[in-house]
Amino acid sequence: MEKVQRLRAMGSLCRQQAAYNSINNWKLLAEAEYWEHLAHLELSSYFQECNATGSNGLAQLQTVTNANDTLETIATA
């Protein structure tokens, strides 16, 4: 998450510079957009990784639960 904050800070700095540099403001705004895009990609990959880890843990939990249900069914029969 620190990387996302740094990338967004770079975008913010570019926007601030664009406000004071009218000659190169189009270039600085494009660069700010680039930094924001990188931040978005980083954040997206972070949440995909979290979701993948969470879904694996959930699948393992369901497998254990299903195995316990099977054992209980066998015991009652």
Side-chain angles (χ1 to χ4, degrees):
M1 293 304 265
E2 286 181 30
K3 188 173 182 180
V4 173
Q5 289 176 340
R6 283 186 277 137
L7 292 169
R8 287 190 172 164
M10 290 298 294
S12 179
L13 286 173
C14 289
R15 282 185 172 73
Q16 289 173 7
Q17 288 179 353
Y20 294 107
N21 188 347
S22 61
I23 295 171
N24 292 325
N25 68 347
W26 61 273
K27 183 179 177 182
L28 291 165
L29 289 174
E31 189 174 343
E33 189 67 28
Y34 171 74
W35 289 113
E36 289 293 328
H37 176 71
L38 290 179
H40 177 73
L41 289 177
E42 184 68 26
L43 196 58
S44 176
S45 68
Y46 173 78
F47 280 114
Q48 285 177 353
E49 189 176 303
C50 286
N51 289 338
T53 303
S55 65
N56 287 342
L58 183 60
Q60 290 172 352
L61 179 63
Q62 289 175 345
T63 302
V64 169
T65 303
N66 290 341
N68 289 339
D69 290 345
T70 304
L71 290 175
E72 288 175 7
T73 304
I74 293 170
T76 57

